[in-house]
């Protein structure tokens, strides 16, 4: 593959091609003067007085990216950011071929021979490139590279993947005028060519995987699990009640379609649960919630890892669309009520409560109080309050805990039904024989 020396190598090969063509066709004999081939910028070619000579000048005025190759081998990094390929820098070189001479019609003669030569050689043969860049002997019919250009022999241009092609380009008078105005020199008869494509490859080290020793092909049906509903069961043998709050220790019931597979995983947030095979059918999966799962809203998916390899190993397979469920907290104990202050018929205090399951330090916790009247009387005028809570057992780094502290203020003394809300998941209230809420109760006096 070509190195960064390929651009200069192309110009050198084209110069050799033109120079040998002039010699083979005896252009010097046809014009009666010696003819040279150069590759200088036009402003460095003498164009006045006795300094002007009969010559062809090949000037590369622009380089552009090749549209056909610009997206090959992309991307060149793996997921870890390691370079795995060296993409080609694919370039098109744009040349102006100009003819100079102080003699009448010699410019036209030179340009005619040069255009015929490039027309007859639209592709540069690899062997011709190799000979032209060989040092010290090179060129289509022999010649030498000057000492300051000997490094071109290492460009690798002759061995690149694509061969070098010469394509005529059409420039209108306005484009030519702009170019020669930028050169700030006298205009001479000119034609344009595009040389394509030069493939320059980086020499940076790449990370290459070991060769594949054996190929295993696996064909599996496109079977995507679907979660339709999530319910809960308070204990084995108890009914599955729709819209029942999900509490710690409950059995979670997932109803859906195409849930069964050779391997079934339940993913709750970042936790992976493998249910018992006997608890999995194509339409239902049941499993006991992990004891360390914190209260709050959780995302759940069903995945079917694929077994591949020898011996078989689990690979990422098909996963259902995510669903959510709320694991509700429960107030297990009122630890203490302290710091009671009465003012204007209202009170302030600090309440310490114990909840289950544990709460994470970054969760939002509220205590909700609803005034309680025995028998349900006076409910129309019942007072309601909510207070933000915080964890008691703070540590560094913070860890989940079951104890919370709530500071309440401006509360009318009395009995209140208490609920804990963690990230939107509320603790349940219990009812009496008449279906009226009666616990858990907190008495504030």
């Amino acid at each position: 593959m070509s190195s960064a020396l390929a651009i200069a190598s192309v110009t050198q090969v084209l110069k050799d091609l033109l120079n040998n063509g002039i010699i083979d066709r005896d252009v010097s004999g046809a014009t009666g003067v010696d003819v040279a081939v150069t590759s200088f910028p036009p402003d460095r070619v003498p164009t006045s007085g006795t300094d002007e000579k009969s010559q062809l000048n090949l000037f590369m005025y622009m380089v552009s990216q090749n549209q056909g190759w610009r997206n090959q081998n992309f991307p060149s990094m793996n997921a870890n950011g390691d370079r795995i390929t060296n993409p080609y820098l694919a370039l098109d070189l744009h040349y102006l071929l100009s003819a100079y001479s102080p003699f009448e019609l010699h410019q036209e003669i030179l340009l005619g021979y040069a255009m015929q030569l490039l027309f007859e050689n639209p592709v540069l043969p690899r062997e011709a490139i190799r000979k032209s860049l060989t040092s010290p002997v090179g060129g289509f019919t022999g010649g030498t590279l000057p000492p300051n250009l000997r490094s071109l022999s290492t460009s690798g241009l002759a061995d690149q993947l694509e061969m070098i092609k010469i394509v005529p380009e059409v420039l209108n008078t306005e484009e030519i005028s702009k170019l020669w105005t930028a050169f700030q020199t006298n205009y001479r008869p000119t034609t344009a060519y595009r040389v394509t494509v030069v493939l320059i490859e980086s020499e940076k080290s790449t990370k290459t995987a070991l060769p594949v020793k054996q190929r295993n092909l696996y064909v599996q049906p496109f079977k995507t699990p679907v979660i339709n509903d999530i319910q809960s069961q308070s204990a084995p043998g108890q009914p599955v009640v729709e819209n029942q709050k999900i509490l710690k220790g409950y059995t979670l019931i997932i109803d859906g379609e195409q849930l069964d597979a050779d391997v079934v995983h339940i993913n709750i947030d970042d936790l992976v649960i493998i249910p018992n095979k006997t608890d999995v059918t194509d339409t239902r999966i049941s499993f006991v919630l992990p004891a360390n799962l914190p209260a709050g809203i959780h995302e759940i998916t069903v995945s079917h890892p694929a077994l591949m390899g020898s011996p078989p190993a689990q690979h990422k397979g098909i996963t259902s669309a995510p669903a959510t469920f709320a694991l509700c907290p429960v107030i297990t104990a009122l630890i203490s009520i302290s710091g009671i202050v009465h003012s204007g018929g209202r009170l302030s205090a600090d309440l310490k409560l114990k909840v289950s399951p544990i709460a994470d330090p970054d969760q939002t916790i509220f205590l909700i109080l609803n005034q309680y009247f025995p028998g349900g009387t006076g409910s129309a005028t019942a007072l309601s309050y909510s207070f933000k809570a915080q964890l008691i057992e703070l540590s560094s780094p913070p860890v989940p805990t079951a104890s919370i502290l709530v500071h309440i203020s401006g509360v009318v003394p009395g009995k209140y039904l208490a609920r804990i809300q963690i990230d939107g998941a509320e603790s349940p209230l219990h009812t009496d024989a008449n279906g009226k809420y009666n616990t858990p109760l907190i008495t504030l006096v």
Side-chain angles (χ1 to χ4, degrees), residues 15 20 37 39 48 64 71 101 109 129 158 165 169 179 183 206 231 242 248 256 271 313 329 366 382 386 427 439 444:
K15 278 183 57 182
N20 284 282
V37 179
S39 59
S48 61
S64 63
N71 291 327
S101 180
I109 294 173
I129 296 174
K165 295 172 281 294
E169 284 193 309
L179 285 173
F183 299 153
T206 60
Q231 302 180 85
E242 190 172 358
K248 179 181 178 180
L271 182 65
F366 282 95
S386 66
S427 62
T439 55
L444 301 173

Side-chain angles (χ1 to χ4, degrees), residues 369-425:
L369 299 176
N370 293 93
Q371 196 172 19
Y372 172 73
F373 295 97
T377 60
S379 59
T381 59
L383 299 174
S384 177
Y385 306 93
S386 66
F387 302 96
K388 191 170 184 180
Q390 66 181 36
L391 302 184
I392 295 177
E393 301 171 6
L394 295 178
S395 61
S396 181
V399 296
T401 182
S403 301
I404 64 172
L405 172 66
V406 188
H407 177 75
I408 64 173
S409 62
V411 177
V412 174
K415 292 184 177 182
Y416 290 87
L417 293 166
R419 285 173 290 164
I420 285 292
Q421 186 185 77
I422 300 179
D423 281 354

Side-chain angles (χ1 to χ4, degrees), residues 97-100 107-108 111 180 187-191:
L97 179 62
S98 305
Y100 295 79
Q107 297 173 3
E108 289 85 346
L111 196 60
W180 282 88
Y187 173 77
R188 290 296 182 267
T190 299
T191 186

Side-chain angles (χ1 to χ4, degrees), residues 38-350:
T38 59
S39 59
F40 293 116
D43 63 320
R44 292 186 55 190
V45 179
T47 58
S48 61
T50 58
D51 293 333
E52 185 169 11
K53 300 177 181 179
S54 295
Q55 69 182 81
L56 289 169
N57 189 68
L58 185 70
F59 174 58
M60 189 192 71
Y61 70 94
M62 186 175 71
V63 179
S64 63
Q65 282 195 315
N66 182 271
Q67 297 301 312
W69 275 88
R70 66 182 303 172
N71 291 327
Q72 293 292 322
N73 295 338
F74 181 85
S76 60
M77 304 288 183
N78 62 15
N80 297 324
D82 300 317
R83 180 182 286 269
I84 57 176
T85 61
N86 282 325
Y88 306 130
L89 174 60
L91 303 176
D92 290 343
L93 311 182
H94 302 264
Y95 288 90
L96 290 180
L97 179 62
S98 305
Y100 295 79
S101 180
F103 305 105
E104 185 178 10
L105 299 181
H106 279 198
Q107 297 173 3
E108 289 85 346
I109 294 173
L110 296 180
L111 196 60
Y113 274 113
M115 293 180 68
Q116 181 186 12
L117 185 64
L118 295 181
F119 175 77
E120 293 174 349
N121 294 274
V123 178
L124 297 180
R126 297 184 189 276
E127 187 60 28
I129 296 174
R130 196 171 286 111
K131 288 181 179 180
S132 181
L133 299 178
T134 298
S135 177
V137 178
F140 284 78
T141 59
T144 62
L145 280 173
N148 62 332
L149 295 179
R150 297 282 170 85
S151 61
L152 298 184
S153 61
T154 65
S155 66
L157 182 64
D159 301 316
Q160 74 166 25
L161 188 62
E162 278 208 26
M163 298 182 70
I164 302 296
K165 295 172 281 294
I166 305 171
V167 183
E169 284 193 309
V170 178
L171 299 181
N172 57 40
T173 54
E174 182 180 359
E175 292 171 325
I176 293 178
S177 176
K178 288 180 178 179
L179 285 173
W180 282 88
T181 300
F183 299 153
Q184 297 184 352
T185 187
N186 296 325
Y187 173 77
R188 290 296 182 267
T190 299
T191 186
Y193 290 91
R194 175 168 57 92
V195 178
T196 182
V197 55
V198 176
L199 301 175
I200 299 176
E201 186 176 19
S202 173
E203 296 179 357
K204 286 188 175 182
S205 176
T206 60
K207 186 173 183 178
T208 305
L210 293 173
V212 177
K213 294 176 63 178
Q214 180 179 351
R215 291 177 173 84
N216 296 323
L217 300 179
Y218 298 87
V219 179
Q220 295 181 333
F222 189 75
K223 183 181 179 182
T224 303
V226 178
I227 299 176
N228 292 332
D229 193 18
I230 298 177
Q231 302 180 85
S232 66
Q233 185 182 35
S234 60
Q238 294 298 315
V240 178
V241 181
E242 190 172 358
N243 297 325
Q244 177 177 251
K245 284 185 177 294
I246 301 173
L247 305 180
K248 179 181 178 180
Y250 276 25
T251 297
L252 203 67
I253 309 295
I254 300 176
D255 291 325
E257 304 169 19
Q258 304 182 139
L259 300 177
D260 194 13
D262 293 335
V263 180
V264 178
H265 284 180
I266 306 297
N267 310 290
I268 300 179
D269 300 333
D270 296 327
L271 182 65
V272 178
I273 302 169
I274 303 177
N276 294 326
K277 192 63 179 177
T278 56
D279 296 329
V280 179
T281 67
D282 212 38
T283 58
R284 173 167 286 192
I285 300 175
S286 60
F287 64 97
V288 178
L289 286 170
N292 61 344
L293 194 66
I297 307 299
H298 297 279
E299 183 179 274
I300 184 170
T301 58
V302 177
S303 63
H304 295 162
L307 294 175
M308 296 185 291
S310 299
Q314 291 183 7
H315 292 69
K316 184 178 179 180
I318 301 174
T319 302
S320 70
T324 58
F325 71 93
L327 178 58
C328 298
V330 175
I331 300 175
T332 59
L334 173 59
I335 300 175
S336 65
I337 302 176
S338 61
I340 298 177
V341 177
H342 290 270
S343 176
R346 297 175 180 269
L347 63 82
S348 301
D350 290 326

